[in-house]
Amino acid sequence: MMSFGISFVLCYVVGTLYPLYASYKALSTPGTKDDAQWLTYWVAYGGLTSLEGVVQSVFMYIPLYYEVKLVGLVWLMAPQTKGAQLIYDTFINPFLTQHAAKFDPIFATTKLAIDNAQVDKLVALAQQYGPEITRSAISQAAVQLQRQSESGEFGQKMAQSVAFTQKAPQSANSNQRSPQPAGHNQNAHAMRNAY
């Protein structure tokens, strides 16, 4: 049994980063067989991730969920198992074929929204000014971090953060009340008297 953090990161690396690189390599080679394999993976991965997002509140209570997910991701991408192809052929393709008439108008509207002059202007502005804005933001963040580390403020904030995360939560039957915003009691009293 792995810790939550390790299994979560492994799911991310195995499910996203490796397929990203493998897709890049597939697109760099002649032929389309490996392209189709990775495109099918991304369709299956997107479908399963969408489903996971909807029922995440249930999945988070399943013991060893991320370990099982990790095995499932390997099964999904492995060319030997053709898991993504099976998910696509069994669930995704029939579902989308059955409901395509409902989805087509939505995506036609989205395509019209994307293919317009205003979006083209935004893209041109982002291409023109985006790199400079990004460099400026990174530079400012580096200067701020340098100032904080020289003044010792960064170390103090880190120590406060660690101390905060290590505080034990109060028990449910504790007599201590959580702090209330200023004026809370007066506002509650005024509300009671109003009725």
Side-chain angles (χ1 to χ4, degrees):
M1 179 175 160
M2 293 183 273
S3 75
F4 166 78
I6 292 172
S7 57
F8 179 81
V9 169
L10 278 174
C11 282
Y12 182 74
V13 169
V14 169
T16 307
L17 296 180
Y18 173 74
L20 177 111
Y21 185 73
S23 299
Y24 156 75
K25 294 299 273 183
L27 291 171
S28 302
T29 61
T32 59
K33 184 176 181 185
D34 52 357
D35 299 357
Q37 175 197 344
W38 287 109
L39 182 58
T40 305
Y41 170 80
W42 286 113
V43 170
Y45 180 80
L48 292 172
T49 302
S50 298
L51 176 66
E52 179 185 35
V54 171
V55 291
Q56 180 67 36
S57 60
V58 174
F59 286 168
M60 63 191 258
Y61 293 108
I62 298 174
L64 302 173
Y65 168 69
Y66 284 102
E67 286 84 351
V68 171
K69 181 179 177 180
L70 183 62
V71 171
L73 288 169
V74 171
W75 173 81
L76 197 65
M77 76 175 68
Q80 299 88 340
T81 61
K82 295 184 172 51
Q85 190 68 50
L86 180 68
I87 295 292
Y88 177 79
D89 291 340
T90 307
F91 301 105
I92 296 173
N93 187 29
F95 176 80
L96 291 177
T97 300
Q98 181 181 357
H99 299 288
K102 296 173 189 167
F103 292 131
D104 286 343
I106 296 168
F107 290 107
T109 304
T110 305
K111 184 171 176 14
L112 286 174
I114 291 172
D115 293 341
N116 74 40
Q118 296 301 327
V119 172
D120 291 342
K121 288 178 186 177
L122 283 172
V123 169
L125 286 171
Q127 289 173 335
Q128 183 177 0
Y129 298 110
E132 182 56 36
I133 292 170
T134 303
R135 278 191 290 276
S136 174
I138 291 172
S139 175
Q140 289 175 15
V143 167
Q144 184 68 24
L145 185 61
Q146 181 66 30
R147 286 183 189 152
Q148 287 178 350
S149 65
E150 288 173 357
S151 70
E153 183 182 344
F154 180 74
Q156 291 170 353
K157 286 184 178 181
M158 287 298 292
Q160 289 170 349
S161 175
V162 168
F164 177 76
T165 58
Q166 291 178 346
K167 284 184 181 176
Q170 294 180 358
S171 65
N173 56 3
S174 172
N175 292 333
Q176 296 180 350
R177 292 179 49 173
S178 61
Q180 300 295 329
H184 171 75
N185 290 335
Q186 293 88 357
N187 292 340
H189 184 66
M191 294 280 289
R192 279 192 301 270
N193 289 337
Y195 295 103

